C-alpha cells in the first residue's frame, strides 16, 4: 500500500470516535448559519482535544486517553441511502487528484526506474469518508450516539421552555418505535444543554441570567454558555481570520453532501426497512406548531428521485445528478465560513468542547462502563451459568468448534437489546472508544466466544474484527496481531452475512495493520481478495493499493505492480473515474514500455489514448495512438485498422482545434530519412527507334562505389587537361544523385529551371494499406538576387508561391500492407537562392474495406483516384538526416560527433547549358577488332550556348570521331561498294603484291606527344553548340580485342560560354555495354634477312612472318574471314612486298583455319625518315583484293594510333642496369638498339555473316606491334601463366656488373655477316690438284656506333657429324683480320678457299668477334641463326 499521512495507530482511533448528537432550535441554527455553518459543522475543526484526558476503569485504575476526538452530528432520522453513499464516495475519489507539481517517488528495481506517486490521497479520502459514512447497525455500538447536545439561543423568548421541548423531542426520537434511526448507545443518553449567545446582537446580562437558571436546573456539569458572533459579518474585514472549516467541508462530510458528477458505492441494507427510502414515515405532514425544526427529518445523502429499493446492494455504479462538480465548486468557492467569528470565538468553541468532554461525556462513559461491568458480573453468576449448564446438559460438556461453512444461514440470529452478550459487546465498544484496548480486547474475546456458541455469525464477525484491532493497538504489544481473526471476520461478512461494507472495513483496517508490520505480501493478498463485481470503485482502489504493496516489498515485484495497476485502471474506467484510470495505465506503462511486450503495450497505449480523449487531453491521446502505430505491431490486420481509424478520428479533432496552426507530425508511414536520394536534372528520355539517349545518371541506377570512383577519375582527367595538366584545388566531382553513400558535406548546386527530384523511402509497418493523398515536399526558400545578396524579405515555408519554386503534388499514393515504397517528388526552382527541403506533407488516410490479409485483395499500386478515403488528416513528416560520423582528429575519434549532411539544402544557381547525347545505330554486339560506324547526336536543350565539348574514356581504343582534317575522314559510308567504314580506293591488279606507301602524322589524330589519349575533343562544327541546336557526328567503333561483355564509360565534358563562378563545367555520362565474340588471332615475328642487298642495292631488310588464325566458332553466324590487306606503320620500316610462295592470292580462312604470310620489310629511306621529329609514320599497304583501304586515313589510322598509345601506356619491361661505369651501360643500350625494330602490322579483314537469310559483310582490323627482332608479338593480350612453385634458394648475391652483359640474342644482331660465292664450282682436279675458290665475306654493322671486328679463319669443324657431311677445306692467305666498321657500314673481305676433293662443303666457318671501339670486352657474334653456306665442288 502507498504511504499514508496518518500511521495506523492514529488512523484507527480517529476512525472510531464517540458520537454525539446535536439538536438545535431554529433560532440557534440561525445564529450559526450567519457563518454559513450548521452547529455540528461549527464544532468540527475543534472536535479534537488538545490535552490528555484521564478516567478510571472499573478496577479504579487511572487510564490516560491521548488525542481524543469526538464526532458531533445533527440528528438524522433516515439512514443514509446506499446509492447516495456510493455517489458520495465516487465524488470524494474523483475530487481528489494528484497535485500537479507533485514530485513523484523514483523507485529503482532491477532494470526499472519508476516514477510512482508515493501517496494516494484519493484512497485516504475514500477510506475516511467510507468509515465516517458507515450506517449504524444493531450488532455493534461504535457509531451509536452516546450523548446529545440540546442547543437553544439566548435570543429566544423562553429559552428554558425551548430546552425542555428539545429534550422531549430527543426522548421521542430515541424511544418511539416509529424511529428506527438513529441508534443510541444506552437508553439513558447524556443530555448536555448549550445556550448560544450572539455577542454582537444579544443581551449579555440576559444570557448570563438564563445560564444561571440552567445551572440550577441541569447542574454545572450538564450545561454551557457558548458565546459566538463577536463581530458583524458586514464589517470590513481588515483582519484576516483563518478559515479552519474549509478543509473539513471540502471533504464532503455527510451533513454537507453536495451533488457532484457520478459515482459508485455499495452499502448494506438494514433489516428494518422494506419500504422505499424516501418514505419519511409521514413526518412530512407535521406542521411546525411548536417551533421545532423539521430539518433533521431527512438524511442529506438521500437522492432527489427514487432510484432503487433499499435492499438493493448491487445498484448501478453511475448515478447522474443534476449539478456538476464544477458548478458546486464555483458555488462553494465564494463563501467564507465563520465570517462573524473572531479568534476569541474560536478559543471559546475549543473551550466548550473541552468542558463538554471533561465534565459531561467522559464521566458519563466512565459511569456507563462501571454500570455495564457491574451488570455483567451480577448476571454472570446467574443467567450465564444457567445458560451454559443447560447447554452442557443437552449437548455434552464441550461444544465442538464449527467451521465457517457449517455455520451458513445462521446470520439471522438476533439478540434483544438487553441481552447480556450485547452488554459485553457494549462495554467492549465503550472501552475501545476511550482507548482502553486491554479491557476492550478481553471483552471482545469473551463476546466472540458467546456469539460463536450461539452461532450468531454477524455478531461473532464484529467481535473478531474488533478483537484483532484491539490486540494490535494494545500498548506494549503483549500479544501478536491475530490476523486469522480478521480473515475469519472478512469471510463471515462476505460469504455468510453477504455484507460487503463490513467486509471492506475489515480489509481496510487489516491491510493497514499488515502494512505497518511490513507484511506487504499478506496485505496485497487481502486487498485482492475483496475485489468483486459489485463495486468497481472499491475494486479499483483495492487493486491499486495491492499494486503499491508489491512495489514496496523488500525486493519489489515490478511486474505484479504493473499488472495490478492495469487491473485497477480498468476498474477505475468502469467506475467512471477516467482520470484515475488514465493515471494507473500511465504508471503501469513505465514497466511494459520497451520490453518487447508489444501486445500489452498496444493495449495500454490504446486505453491511455481513449481515456485521454475522453478527458479532452487530446495531445496525450494522439501521442498514445501514435505509439501503437509506429511500433512493430503484432496485432491482427482488423485490430490495426481499428487503431488507425481511432487515431485518425482523434487526430482530426485535434487539428480542428487549431486549423491555422503548423502541420502536426504524422507517425505513418515510416520514413527512412537516411535512404532519401536527391537527383538534380531532367529524367532520361526513353529510346526512340534507333536513337538511344545517353544513360547518364538516374534514380533507377544502384549506387556503386567502384564505378563512382571511376567516373570521378575520368572527370579529374578531363579537368586536368582543360586546366593545363593540373586539377584545381577548388575542384569537386560533379554529383547528380546524392544518397547515403555520396559525399554530402557541401551544399549541392542545382541549376535554375531544372527539376530537383527527391526520392523518399516510405514503409508501411501495418497490415492495412495506407493511402496518402496530395503528397508533396515541404520546403523553405531564401531567394537571392543576381549579385548573390539576400533579398530583404526572407520567405519561409512558401508552399503557396509557385513563382519561386514549383512543387509537384502526387494526388494519390497507396502503400499496401507491410510494403516499402519510394515516392519521387519534384521541385522546379524558378529563382536563384538557397532552398531547404524540410520534409513531406500529405493527407494520411486508409482505404475503406481495405483489410488485406496476407496480400489477398490488396489494392494495386496504381493511383487511379478510385480509392475512397474513409477518413484522412493532413500533417507532415520531417526529413532529418544524420551526417556521417567524424573520425579524423583525435577529438572526433574519442567522442561521437557527426558531420553535416546537406543533400536536402541545394543552392540554386544561374542558368547553365544542358547537353543531351543520342547514339544512332549503336551496336550491342561486335566481333573482336570489328570496325562499325555509328552516329552521335549532340543537342543543347538549354537556353545557354555550350562550348569546350570533350569526351573522356578509359578505353580510347574503342571509338574515334575521325581525324582532325576533313581529308582524312571519309564523308559517308557509301564511298565504297560494300558501304565500308573505311576510305577505300579501287586498285589495278598489277600492283597487287607490292606495297602502296602513304604517310600520316599522329598529331592529325589527336595523339600528339605528351597529351592524354583518353581525353578526346569532340569536333563540333564551330566549337559552340547554340541553344536548341543539335549536331550529328560520325563515330567509329572497334570491338575490344578480348571476348566477353565490356562496359565502356564515356564522360562528356562541356562548359558554358559565359563563365559561371559556382559551376565551372557540366558533365554527361554514358555507359555502353558491348558484347564481343572471337574473330581472328594474329601473331607476327620479324627476322633479319640474310641477303645483304635488296633490289634497290640497300643492305637493311627484314622478313616479317604473320600468322592469322580464325578462332571464331561460327557463334556470330560468321562463315569465313577474308584477309583483304596487311599494312605496316612505322617511323623507320615499311613492308615492301609479300613473299608468299603460293600463287593463290585469295586469303580465306574458314572456322579454326590458320594462314601464314611472309613479307619483306625495308628500312625507310632517309628522305622518308627525315621528319621523325614530326611524328610522321609511314604506312605501307599490301592488298589481297581489288580495293585498297587507305590505312593512313580514318578510321584505320585512328584505331592504330589508339592501340599504339595504349600499348605505350603499358609498363615496358626495361632491363634494370646498375653499374659504376656508364660506358658499359651505353654499350649495352647501343647493342640493344640493334635488335629493335618498332614495326607495326595492321591486318585488315572482312567477315561474311549470314543473318536472317541475308549476307552481311563485317570488317575489322587487328594490330600487332613488333618491338624486337626474333620476338613473337600478338594481337590479343596474352594470359600470364602462373609460374610453378620452386624450392626457395639461398645464395650470395653476385656482382651487379654481370647484369650489364648483353644477351646472346642481342649480340648476334650487332654484326650481320654474309658470304657471297658461287653455289657450284667446276674444277679439273686431274689438271690441278688444288681448287681455289674466291669468296667475299660481307660484314654489316647494325649499330649506330663504331665497331672493332676480328675475323678469325682458323676455326675448324671438329665434330665428327659435321665432317661426315661436309668435307674439310682450308682458307688461304691471312688467317685473321682486324677491322673497324663505322656506324651502319658494310665492308667486304675477299677470301680464298682451297679444296682438294670434290664434294659439298660448308663455308660458314669464319669466327667473327666484335667489340664497340671504346670498350674493352670482346663479344663473339653468334652464327647460329645463319644458314649453312654450302658449296658444291665438281670435277670436270
Amino acid at each position: 500500500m502507498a504511504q499514508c499521512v496518518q500511521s495506523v495507530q492514529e488512523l484507527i482511533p480517529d476512525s472510531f470516535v464517540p458520537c454525539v448528537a446535536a439538536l438545535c432550535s431554529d433560532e440557534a441554527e440561525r445564529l450559526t448559519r450567519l457563518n454559513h455553518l450548521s452547529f455540528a459543522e461549527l464544532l468540527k475543526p475543534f472536535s479534537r482535544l488538545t490535552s490528555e484526558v484521564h478516567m478510571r476503569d472499573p478496577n479504579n485504575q487511572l487510564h490516560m486517553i491521548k488525542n481524543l476526538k469526538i464526532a458531533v452530528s445533527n440528528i438524522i432520522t433516515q439512514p443514509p441511502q446506499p446509492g447516495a453513499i456510493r455517489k458520495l464516495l465516487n465524488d470524494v475519489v474523483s475530487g481528489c487528484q494528484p497535485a500537479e507539481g507533485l514530485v513523484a517517488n523514483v523507485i529503482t528495481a532491477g532494470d526499472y526506474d519508476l516514477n510512482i506517486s508515493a501517496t494516494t490521497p484519493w484512497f485516504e479520502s475514500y477510506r475516511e469518508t467510507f468509515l465516517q459514512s458507515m450506517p449504524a447497525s444493531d450488532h455493534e455500538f461504535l457509531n451509536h450516539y452516546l450523548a446529545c447536545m440540546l442547543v437553544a439561543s439566548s435570543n429566544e423568548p423562553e429559552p428554558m421552555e425551548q430546552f425542555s421541548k428539545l429534550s422531549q423531542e430527543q426522548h421521542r426520537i430515541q424511544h418511539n418505535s416509529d424511529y428506527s434511526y438513529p441508534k443510541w448507545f444506552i437508553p439513558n443518553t447524556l443530555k448536555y444543554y448549550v445556550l448560544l449567545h450572539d455577542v454582537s446582537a444579544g443581551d449579555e446580562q440576559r444570557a448570563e441570567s438564563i445560564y444561571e437558571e440552567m445551572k440550577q436546573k441541569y447542574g454545572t456539569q450538564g450545561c454551557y454558555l457558548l458565546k459566538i458572533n463577536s463581530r458583524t459579518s458586514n464589517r470590513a474585514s481588515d483582519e484576516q481570520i483563518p478559515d479552519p472549516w474549509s478543509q473539513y467541508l471540502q471533504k464532503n462530510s455527510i451533513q454537507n453532501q453536495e451533488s457532484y458528477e457520478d459515482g459508485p458505492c455499495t452499502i448494506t441494507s438494514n433489516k428494518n426497512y422494506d419500504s422505499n427510502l424516501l418514505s419519511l414515515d409521514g413526518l412530512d405532514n407535521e406542521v411546525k406548531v411548536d417551533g421545532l425544526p423539521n430539518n433533521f427529518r431527512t438524511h442529506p445523502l438521500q437522492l432527489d428521485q427514487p432510484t432503487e429499493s433499499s435492499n438493493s446492494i448491487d445498484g448501478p455504479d453511475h448515478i447522474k445528478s443534476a449539478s456538476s462538480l464544477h458548478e458546486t465548486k464555483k458555488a462553494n468557492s465564494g463563501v467564507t465560513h465563520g465570517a462573524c467569528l473572531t479568534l476569541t470565538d474560536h478559543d471559546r468553541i475549543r473551550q466548550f468542547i473541552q468542558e463538554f468532554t471533561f465534565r459531561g461525556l467522559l464521566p458519563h462513559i466512565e459511569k456507563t462502563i462501571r454500570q455495564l461491568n457491574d451488570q455483567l458480573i451480577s448476571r454472570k453468576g446467574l443467567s450465564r451459568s444457567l445458560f451454559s449448564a443447560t447447554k452442557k446438559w443437552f449437548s455434552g460438556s464441550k461444544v465442538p468448534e464449527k467451521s465457517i461453512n457449517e455455520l451458513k444461514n445462521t446470520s439471522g440470529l438476533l439478540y434483544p437489546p438487553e441481552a447480556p452478550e450485547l452488554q459485553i459487546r457494549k462495554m467492549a465498544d465503550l472501552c475501545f472508544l476511550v482507548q482502553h484496548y486491554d479491557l476492550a480486547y478481553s471483552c471482545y474475546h469473551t463476546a466472540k466466544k458467546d456469539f460463536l456458541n450461539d452461532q450468531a455469525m454477524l455478531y461473532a464477525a464484529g467481535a473478531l474484527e474488533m478483537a484483532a484491532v484491539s490486540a494490535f493497538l494494545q500498548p506494549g504489544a503483549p500479544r501478536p496481531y491475530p490476523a486469522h481473526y480478521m480473515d475469519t471476520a472478512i469471510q463471515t461478512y462476505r460469504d455468510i452475512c453477504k455484507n460487503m461494507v463490513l467486509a471492506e472495513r475489515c480489509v481496510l483496517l487489516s491491510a493497514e495493520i499488515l502494512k505497518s508490520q511490513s507484511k506487504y505480501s499478506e496485505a496485497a493478498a487481502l486487498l485482492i481478495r475483496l475485489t468483486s463485481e459489485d463495486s468497481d470503485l472499491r475494486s479499483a482502489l483495492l487493486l491499486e493499493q495491492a499494486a503499491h504493496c508489491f512495489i514496496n516489498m523488500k525486493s519489489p515485484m515490478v511486474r505484479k505492480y504493473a499488472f495490478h495497476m492495469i487491473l485497477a485502471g480498468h476498474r477505475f474506467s468502469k467506475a467512471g473515474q477516467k482520470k484515475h484510470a488514465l493515471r494507473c495505465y500511465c504508471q503501469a506503462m513505465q514497466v511494459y514500455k520497451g520490453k518487447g511486450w508489444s501486445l500489452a503495450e498496444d493495449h495500454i497505449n490504446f486505453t491511455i489514448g481513449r481515456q485521454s480523449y475522453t478527458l479532452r487531453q487530446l495531445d496525450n491521446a494522439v501521442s498514445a495512438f501514435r505509439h501503437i502505430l509506429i511500433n512493430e505491431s503484432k496485432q491482427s490486420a482488423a485490430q490495426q485498422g481499428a487503431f488507425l481509424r481511432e487515431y485518425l478520428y482523434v487526430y482530426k479533432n485535434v487539428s480542428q482545434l487549431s486549423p491555422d496552426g503548423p502541420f502536426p507530425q504524422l507517425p505513418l508511414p515510416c520514413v527512412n530519412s537516411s535512404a532519401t536520394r536527391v537527383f538534380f536534372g531532367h529524367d532520361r528520355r526513353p529510346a526512340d527507334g534507333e536513337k538511344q539517349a545517353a544513360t547518364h545518371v538516374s534514380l533507377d541506377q544502384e549506387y556503386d562505389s567502384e564505378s563512382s570512383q571511376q567516373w570521378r577519375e575520368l572527370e579529374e582527367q578531363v579537368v586536368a587537361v582543360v586546366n593545363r595538366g593540373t586539377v584545381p584545388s577548388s575542384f569537386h566531382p560533379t554529383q547528380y544523385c546524392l544518397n547515403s553513400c555520396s559525399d554530402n558535406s557541401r551544399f549541392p548546386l542545382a541549376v535554375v529551371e531544372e527539376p530537383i527530384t527527391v526520392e523518399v523511402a516510405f514503409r508501411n509497418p501495418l497490415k492495412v494499406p495506407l493511402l496518402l493523398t496530395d503528397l508533396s515536399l515541404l520546403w523553405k526558400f531564401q531567394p537571392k538576387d543576381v549579385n548573390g545578396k539576400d533579398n530583404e524579405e526572407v520567405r519561409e515555408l512558401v508552399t503557396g508561391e509557385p513563382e519561386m519554386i514549383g512543387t509537384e503534388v502526387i494526388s494519390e499514393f497507396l502503400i499496401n500492407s507491410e510494403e516499402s515504397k519510394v515516392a519521387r517528388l519534384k521541385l522546379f526552382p524558378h529563382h536563384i537562392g538557397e532552398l531547404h527541403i524540410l520534409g513531406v506533407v500529405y493527407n494520411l488516410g486508409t482505404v475503406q474495406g481495405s483489410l488485406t490479409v496476407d496480400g489477398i485483395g490488396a489494392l494495386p499500386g496504381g493511383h487511379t483516384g478510385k480509392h475512397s478515403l474513409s477518413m484522412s488528416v493532413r500533417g507532415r513528416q520531417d526529413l532529418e538526416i544524420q551526417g556521417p560520423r567524424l573520425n579524423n582528429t583525435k577529438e572526433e575519434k574519442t567522442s561521437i560527433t557527426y558531420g553535416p549532411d546537406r543533400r536536402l539544402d541545394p543552392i540554386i544557381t544561374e542558368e547553365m547549358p544542358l547537353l543531351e547525347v543520342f547514339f544512332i545505330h549503336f551496336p550491342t554486339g561486335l566481333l573482336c577488332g570489328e570496325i562499325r560506324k555509328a552516329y552521335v547526336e549532340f543537342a543543347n536543350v538549354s537556353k545557354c550556348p555550350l562550348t569546350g565539348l570533350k569526351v573522356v574514356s578509359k578505353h580510347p581504343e574503342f571509338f574515334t570521331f575521325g581525324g582532325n582534317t576533313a581529308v582524312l575522314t571519309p564523308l559517308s559510308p557509301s564511298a565504297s561498294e560494300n558501304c565500308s567504314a573505311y576510305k577505300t580506293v579501287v586498285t589495278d591488279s598489277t600492283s597487287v603484291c607490292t606495297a602502296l606507301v602513304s604517310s600520316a602524322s599522329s598529331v592529325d589524330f589527336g595523339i600528339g606527344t605528351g597529351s592524354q589519349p583518353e581525353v578526346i575533343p569532340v569536333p563540333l562544327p564551330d566549337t559552340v553548340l547554340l541553344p536548341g541546336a543539335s549536331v550529328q557526328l560520325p563515330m567509329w567503333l572497334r570491338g575490344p580485342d578480348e571476348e566477353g561483355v565490356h562496359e565502356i564509360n564515356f564522360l562528356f565534358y562541356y562548359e558554358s560560354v559565359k563563365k559561371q563562378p559556382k559551376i565551372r563545367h557540366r558533365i554527361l555520362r554514358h555507359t555502353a555495354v558491348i558484347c564481343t565474340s572471337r574473330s581472328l588471332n594474329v601473331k607476327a615475328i620479324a627476322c633479319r634477312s640474310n641477303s645483304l642487298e635488296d633490289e634497290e642495292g640497300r643492305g637493311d631488310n627484314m622478313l616479317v612472318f604473320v600468322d592469322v588464325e580464325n578462332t571464331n566458332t561460327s557463334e556470330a553466324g560468321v562463315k569465313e574471314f577474308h584477309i583483304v590487306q596487311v599494312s605496316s606503320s612505322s617511323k623507320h620500316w615499311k613492308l615492301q612486298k609479300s613473299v608468299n610462295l603460293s600463287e593463290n592470292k585469295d586469303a580465306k580462312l574458314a572456322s579454326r583455319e590458320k594462314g601464314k604470310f611472309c613479307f619483306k620489310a625495308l628500312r625507310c629511306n632517309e628522305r622518308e625518315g627525315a621528319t621523325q621529329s614530326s611524328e610522321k609514320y609511314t604506312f605501307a599497304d599490301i592488298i589481297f583484293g581489288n580495293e585498297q583501304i587507305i590505312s593512313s586515313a580514318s578510321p584505320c589510322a585512328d584505331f592504330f594510333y589508339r592501340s599504339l598509345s595504349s600499348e605505350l601506356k603499358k609498363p615496358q619491361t626495361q632491363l634494370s642496369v646498375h653499374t659504376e661505369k656508364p660506358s658499359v651501360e651505353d654499350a649495352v643500350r647501343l647493342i640493344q638498339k640493334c635488335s629493335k625494330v618498332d614495326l607495326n602490322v595492321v591486318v585488315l579483314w572482312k567477315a561474311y555473316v549470314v543473318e536472317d537469310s541475308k549476307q552481311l559483310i563485317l570488317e575489322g582490323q587487328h594490330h600487332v606491334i613488333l618491338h624486337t627482332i626474333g620476338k613473337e608479338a600478338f594481337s590479343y593480350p596474352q594470359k600470364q601463366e602462373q609460374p610453378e612453385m620452386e624450392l626457395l634458394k639461398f645464395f650470395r648475391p653476385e656482382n651487379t656488373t654481370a647484369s650489364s652483359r648483353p644477351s646472346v640474342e642481342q649480340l648476334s644482331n650487332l654484326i650481320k655477316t654474309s658470304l657471297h660465292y658461287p653455289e657450284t664450282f667446276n674444277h679439273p682436279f686431274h689438271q690441278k690438284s688444288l681448287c681455289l675458290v674466291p669468296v667475299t665475306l660481307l660484314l654489316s654493322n647494325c649499330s649506330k656506333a663504331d665497331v672493332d671486328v676480328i675475323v678469325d679463319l682458323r676455326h675448324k669443324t671438329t665434330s665428327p657429324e659435321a665432317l661426315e657431311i661436309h668435307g674439310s677445306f682450308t682458307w688461304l692467305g691471312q688467317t685473321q683480320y682486324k677491322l673497324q666498321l663505322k656506324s651502319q657500314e658494310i665492308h667486304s673481305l675477299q677470301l680464298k678457299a682451297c679444296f682438294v676433293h670434290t664434294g659439298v662443303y660448308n663455308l660458314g666457318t669464319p669466327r667473327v668477334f666484335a667489340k664497340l671501339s671504346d670498350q674493352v670486352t670482346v663479344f663473339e657474334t653468334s652464327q647460329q641463326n645463319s644458314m649453312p653456306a654450302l658449296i658444291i665442288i665438281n670435277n670436270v
Side-chain angles (χ1 to χ4, degrees), residues 306-486:
T307 55
E308 53 184 298
S309 163
S310 61
N311 49 10
S312 146
I313 304 173
D314 308 327
D317 269 341
H318 305 287
I319 298 163
K320 294 289 175 191
S321 61
S323 59
S324 73
L325 175 66
H326 305 291
E327 290 167 10
T328 310
K329 281 189 176 167
K330 266 185 220 160
N332 284 348
S333 59
V335 174
T336 49
H337 304 288
C340 301
L341 302 175
T342 60
L343 289 177
T344 316
D345 291 336
H346 290 197
D347 291 338
R348 284 175 184 150
I349 297 168
R350 197 174 286 113
Q351 183 65 35
F352 160 63
I353 293 290
Q354 296 263 67
E355 284 293 316
F356 165 70
T357 313
F358 284 18
R359 301 269 179 93
L361 184 62
L362 285 178
H364 175 67
I365 291 174
E366 190 175 322
K367 188 172 96 182
T368 310
I369 290 175
R370 283 181 188 278
Q371 284 173 357
L372 286 169
N373 191 44
D374 294 344
Q375 277 179 28
L376 288 171
I377 289 168
S378 61
R379 282 188 185 174
K380 244 182 194 170
L382 178 69
S383 62
R384 294 299 296 276
S385 53
L386 271 174
F387 187 61
S388 54
T390 37
K391 266 191 183 169
K392 282 177 189 171
W393 182 262
F394 287 112
S395 61
S397 60
K398 185 159 172 58
V399 180
E401 285 276 336
K402 296 198 176 182
S403 71
I404 293 270
N405 293 331
E406 289 175 48
L407 300 172
K408 297 259 178 185
N409 304 320
T410 55
S411 58
L413 174 63
L414 292 173
Y415 289 101
E418 63 280 354
E421 287 85 358
L422 286 190
Q423 303 308 316
I424 196 165
R425 169 71 210 232
K426 270 187 187 175
M427 180 173 164
D429 284 350
L430 266 180
C431 292
F432 188 87
L433 290 174
V434 293
Q435 301 175 14
H436 201 321
Y437 299 118
D438 294 347
L439 189 53
Y441 174 74
S442 61
C443 292
Y444 284 130
H445 200 268
T446 310
K448 173 205 68 160
K449 286 182 183 172
D450 291 342
F451 293 142
L452 279 175
N453 285 338
D454 298 341
Q455 295 184 10
M457 297 317 295
L458 181 65
Y459 295 90
L464 280 166
E465 174 190 4
M466 296 315 293
V469 175
S470 304
F472 171 72
L473 290 174
Q474 276 180 339
R479 52 178 64 82
Y481 169 62
H484 58 288
Y485 279 14
M486 273 298 195

Side-chain angles (χ1 to χ4, degrees), residues 477-531:
R479 52 178 64 82
Y481 169 62
H484 58 288
Y485 279 14
M486 273 298 195
D487 294 345
T488 310
I490 293 165
Q491 200 174 347
T492 308
Y493 282 143
R494 192 183 64 191
D495 299 341
I496 299 173
C497 309
K498 307 291 185 208
N499 191 325
M500 292 303 287
V501 176
L502 292 169
E504 184 179 350
R505 183 180 70 185
C506 276
V507 167
L508 293 175
L509 296 176
S510 186
E512 276 298 332
I513 292 169
L514 289 169
K515 184 189 83 171
S516 71
Q517 297 176 337
S518 298
K519 294 180 179 174
Y520 289 107
S521 180
E522 292 88 336
L526 196 63
L527 291 161
I528 292 164
R529 209 164 78 198
L530 205 70
T531 55

